[in-house]
Amino acid sequence: MRTRVSIFPVFAFCIVATDVSADCAQGMIPFSSCEIVGRSTSLNICHDDFTVSYRYGTRGKVPELYLSEPIATVDYRPWDGDALIGSITFRNGAYAYEVVSGFNSEFSDEGLSHFGWVTVSYNGEELSKLECVQTSVESVYGSDVYDLKVAAGLRWDGEETGWVAVSGSN
């Protein structure tokens, strides 16, 4: 169950990460990244106009796991203006990697407090939950992936229904 907190939606569109692109392939746009607690690994989500990619491994090296899915089919759950948390799930056979990121709405001297994790499951059963080092979580909030899904003929119909095809689109 998610706790919903109302803040002015404009805050989310003002948060832009600066170093997220460090491990995006050339031509890819950063979406989210973090270092994993207790490991010397990182997680990076990047996209272009057609695909979203998941990279997990040691920064600067060949990733231990690289997954890529079309924008139109990737399971992306945007925050809706009330919730301060969003997710994107990548599938690899019976495995699923749900990357969650968000921020606390309370401002401090350091700004917003980000958080995140990746939940790894097999056939729907959770195998592990890897927490992000809080100070390393970087997310680009805005409408890139959302707008690309809309351009692919989809519309967000809320958390219960998810993405649905727009009438008259392919």
Side-chain angles (χ1 to χ4, degrees):
M1 174 182 266
R2 288 191 187 165
T3 301
R4 296 192 182 268
V5 179
S6 293
I7 66 166
F8 295 106
V10 72
F11 289 143
F13 291 99
C14 294
I15 304 165
V16 178
T18 55
D19 278 27
V20 161
S21 64
D23 278 313
C24 286
Q26 187 171 6
M28 298 293 274
I29 299 166
F31 183 76
S32 181
S33 74
C34 76
E35 301 291 326
I36 302 299
V37 171
R39 300 176 180 221
S40 59
T41 57
S42 65
L43 173 67
N44 294 282
I45 308 297
C46 305
H47 72 88
D48 62 17
D49 289 346
F50 307 102
T51 60
V52 181
S53 67
Y54 171 103
R55 290 174 54 117
Y56 174 82
T58 304
R59 212 173 263 265
K61 295 187 178 181
V62 174
E64 293 173 33
L65 181 62
Y66 178 87
L67 302 170
S68 181
E69 291 195 31
I71 289 278
T73 59
V74 72
D75 184 5
Y76 167 59
R77 304 283 173 163
W79 74 283
D80 64 10
D82 290 331
L84 305 176
I85 188 169
S87 70
I88 190 164
T89 302
F90 294 83
R91 302 205 188 294
N92 186 18
Y95 288 92
Y97 304 85
E98 181 187 25
V99 181
V100 176
S101 62
F103 61 93
N104 296 322
S105 63
E106 296 183 21
F107 286 94
S108 69
D109 292 339
E110 294 83 36
L112 293 175
S113 175
H114 287 80
F115 59 88
W117 64 84
V118 59
T119 302
V120 181
S121 58
Y122 181 79
N123 284 330
E125 185 175 328
E126 184 176 318
L127 298 176
S128 64
K129 182 177 179 181
L130 305 174
E131 297 282 339
C132 291
V133 174
Q134 186 176 3
T135 57
S136 74
V137 178
E138 297 182 4
S139 296
V140 178
Y141 295 92
S143 59
D144 284 358
V145 173
Y146 186 96
D147 287 347
L148 290 167
K149 287 187 84 66
V150 169
L154 303 169
R155 75 174 165 78
W156 179 247
D157 198 36
E159 194 65 33
E160 293 298 316
T161 308
W163 292 95
V164 295
V166 175
S167 297
S169 66
N170 297 339

